[in-house]
Amino acid sequence: MSSEGPHQYKQPSRKGKRAWRKNVDVSGIQEGLESAREEIIKGGIIAEKASDALFTLDTTGSEAIQRSYNKIHKPLKADQILAQRSAVPAIDARKRPGVTDGVIEPSSKRRKSNGVSHREYEKLKNRAYGGEAIPKDIVKTDGAPSHDPWAEANNEEQEPRFSYLEKPKPIKAPRTLSEAPISLVEGAKSLPGVLKPNPGTSYNPVFQDWDQLLSKEGQKEVEAEKKRIMEAEEERIRLERIAAAQDERDDIQTEDESAWEGFESEYEGEEWLTKRRPERKTQAERNKVKKRKEAERQAKWATQLKKRAQQAQEIKSIAKQVEERDKARQLARTRADYSPEELDDRRLRRRKLGTTSLPEPSLELVLPDELQDSLRLLKPEGNLLKDRFRNLLVRGKVEARKPIQQPKKARKTYTEKWTYKDFTVSA
């Protein structure tokens, strides 16, 4: 049933009272009443409701957007670990009587040296690692490694269906693994793991030691500054000479181009036409040259034989000299090992290993305005990690290398395998 009022759109006249009701359009009012009635049925008129009843605050977000974001931006492992929440409530930190944390306190008031007796320690270890079924020697104290990366692998037989694959090559230990490290200190002295520090580097040193170290380091800095100034002056002179030589070369080229017309080639004169060609040697002259070269070769060979015979006679004396020389080197090295005061890891040998130079050690010196009379006022300086790493480099345990800023990426080549051609026709 329609709710619209009667109307006649084709009636030309609206002057009569009878035509008023038919010709008045009330469809807008009827639509508003219907919409208000529907809002009341659904819960109330929207215009009369408060904002809290109409809007909600979304605190979770869209799951689809979150999944698409996680595909592009992978979260960090630390964030994943922190995001895990256990359903088990946290343990109460309050101390309650009669409840222990799993460690049985000894009956006597006097505790053991480490707090727990050996029997109680074994009981706790069995409980933690699964009882007697698990071996107890979890931590090996004998010093032997549990895995040898250079050990020979077991050669397992390859399956027939994988016969086309190349067999893996055996692992070979490097040749230098069995050799002793080469010390880079002057005189090939073996350094200890931790050097004895200079007395002048103490936070409260004796004045004589501190003054001697300050004068020594100051002299080094003065020499380094003089060397730097000298190198800068040499570079300036070199650049000036290059510029002067370039200017002189330009002037010579200009003069040559202007005077080119007055020059003659060496092949344009008459002397070149009358010059005699060198004559060929006769057969007798060639035989003389051949005999002379053969005589020289025989004399050289006789000299070598004579020298070998002489060395064979003197081989015992040479071996004795080499042995004495080795003993003297070993004795000097032993004396150097037992004189820690003379060891200095800054004095390196001239021939270094590789092209990379060792990093310079840090300056371990306290200036006069930094001296403190108390250990509490001392500022921590230095880096133990850098000191230990440089000690390994100087002792030859680790090779000195430059850090790779932009590593080269492996080039990948894509090719199509023609495995569809590898087939056999059954008879």
Side-chain angles (χ1 to χ4, degrees):
M1 181 178 179
S2 178
S3 60
E4 295 181 1
H7 51 269
Q8 284 182 338
Y9 297 105
K10 295 181 181 181
Q11 184 177 0
S13 177
R14 296 181 182 178
K15 292 182 180 180
K17 292 184 178 180
R18 294 180 180 179
W20 288 358
R21 181 176 175 272
K22 292 183 180 180
N23 298 316
V24 174
D25 188 8
V26 292
S27 59
I29 298 173
Q30 293 294 337
E31 290 177 0
L33 292 175
E34 286 295 331
S35 61
R37 192 178 298 113
E38 290 178 1
E39 290 178 1
I40 292 172
I41 292 172
K42 291 181 179 179
I45 299 174
I46 297 175
E48 297 177 356
K49 287 186 177 182
S51 299
D52 298 338
L54 295 176
F55 304 100
T56 58
L57 184 62
D58 186 9
T59 58
T60 58
S62 175
E63 296 181 357
I65 296 175
Q66 185 65 31
R67 284 196 297 269
S68 62
Y69 179 80
N70 291 339
K71 288 181 181 179
I72 302 174
H73 306 280
K74 188 177 180 181
L76 298 177
K77 190 66 177 177
D79 296 339
Q80 294 179 3
I81 295 173
L82 294 175
Q84 295 177 357
R85 291 291 181 268
S86 176
V88 181
I91 300 174
D92 192 2
R94 294 179 298 174
K95 207 163 187 179
R96 290 172 291 176
V99 180
T100 63
D101 55 354
V103 180
I104 304 173
E105 295 289 342
S107 57
S108 61
K109 293 184 179 180
R110 186 178 179 182
R111 296 176 62 86
K112 309 296 186 298
S113 60
N114 56 354
V116 182
S117 64
H118 180 71
R119 183 178 179 183
E120 295 168 358
Y121 171 73
E122 291 294 333
K123 187 186 295 184
L124 293 174
K125 190 171 72 171
N126 292 338
R127 185 184 301 175
Y129 294 105
E132 299 294 338
I134 306 297
K136 296 182 179 181
D137 53 347
I138 298 172
V139 180
K140 294 184 178 181
T141 58
D142 55 352
S146 58
H147 173 67
D148 187 8
W150 307 111
E152 296 183 359
N154 297 328
N155 296 326
E156 300 179 357
E157 295 183 358
Q158 195 174 22
E159 297 184 12
R161 57 189 182 126
F162 297 131
S163 59
Y164 62 92
L165 295 177
E166 186 180 356
K167 294 183 180 180
K169 297 180 180 179
I171 300 175
K172 294 183 180 179
R175 180 176 53 84
T176 56
L177 189 65
S178 59
E179 299 178 1
I182 302 174
S183 178
L184 301 182
V185 185
E186 185 181 9
K189 300 176 182 178
S190 58
L191 291 177
V194 180
L195 287 174
K196 185 178 180 181
N198 194 309
T201 59
S202 174
Y203 78 98
N204 191 12
V206 181
F207 178 75
Q208 289 79 6
D209 298 336
W210 175 80
D211 185 57
Q212 184 179 0
L213 182 61
L214 182 63
S215 303
K216 182 179 178 181
E217 296 296 337
Q219 187 65 25
K220 287 183 180 180
E221 294 297 329
V222 170
E223 294 295 334
E225 184 65 19
K226 288 182 179 179
K227 185 178 179 181
R228 186 190 65 81
I229 294 173
M230 187 183 299
E231 291 177 354
E233 183 67 19
E234 291 177 355
E235 182 68 15
R236 185 185 64 80
I237 295 172
R238 187 180 68 85
L239 294 176
E240 290 179 357
R241 288 179 179 176
I242 291 174
Q246 187 68 25
D247 297 340
E248 185 178 355
R249 188 180 306 166
D250 295 341
D251 297 340
I252 292 173
Q253 289 179 357
T254 306
E255 293 176 0
D256 291 344
E257 290 174 359
S258 61
W260 174 254
E261 298 178 356
F263 282 94
E264 265 186 357
S265 174
E266 60 178 347
Y267 300 107
E268 295 178 2
E270 297 180 355
E271 296 179 359
W272 181 76
L273 297 174
T274 59
K275 190 175 182 180
R276 292 184 61 186
R277 294 178 59 186
E279 297 180 357
R280 297 180 63 182
K281 294 181 180 179
T282 61
Q283 187 63 30
E285 292 175 351
R286 291 198 190 98
N287 292 338
K288 287 182 180 179
V289 173
K290 191 182 295 185
K291 288 181 181 180
R292 181 173 53 80
K293 289 184 178 180
E294 184 66 21
E296 290 178 358
R297 191 181 64 81
Q298 292 291 343
K300 189 176 181 181
W301 177 250
T303 305
Q304 289 181 357
L305 290 178
K306 186 176 180 180
K307 188 182 294 184
R308 286 183 182 179
Q310 188 177 1
Q311 289 179 356
Q313 294 177 0
E314 298 177 356
I315 189 170
K316 293 184 180 180
S317 60
I318 293 173
K320 188 175 181 180
Q321 291 177 4
V322 170
E323 186 178 357
E324 292 178 356
R325 193 184 306 165
D326 293 341
K327 287 183 179 180
R329 287 182 180 177
Q330 188 67 23
L331 181 61
R333 188 176 300 175
T334 306
R335 290 178 179 176
D337 293 343
Y338 289 96
S339 57
E341 292 80 4
E342 300 178 1
L343 292 177
D344 188 5
D345 58 346
R346 299 187 182 188
R347 300 175 61 183
L348 305 177
R349 66 177 191 173
R350 294 183 179 180
R351 186 179 179 184
K352 58 184 179 181
L353 300 177
T355 57
T356 308
S357 58
L358 296 181
E360 292 294 332
S362 57
L363 182 60
E364 299 178 354
L365 179 63
V366 183
L367 299 178
D369 55 344
E370 297 176 353
L371 287 173
Q372 303 292 342
D373 56 352
S374 175
L375 188 59
R376 296 180 179 179
L377 302 176
L378 184 66
K379 296 180 181 179
E381 296 179 0
N383 192 329
L384 186 59
L385 178 60
K386 291 182 178 180
D387 295 343
R388 294 292 298 149
F389 181 67
R390 189 180 183 279
N391 185 267
L392 291 175
L393 294 176
V394 173
R395 293 164 61 192
K397 301 284 186 180
V398 184
E399 181 184 359
R401 292 186 180 181
K402 291 182 179 180
I404 302 175
Q405 303 294 342
Q406 295 181 353
K408 295 182 179 179
K409 296 182 179 179
R411 294 183 178 180
K412 297 181 180 179
T413 56
Y414 298 94
T415 180
E416 182 182 0
K417 292 185 178 180
W418 289 10
T419 55
Y420 61 88
K421 292 187 177 182
D422 300 337
F423 63 91
T424 56
V425 180
S426 58

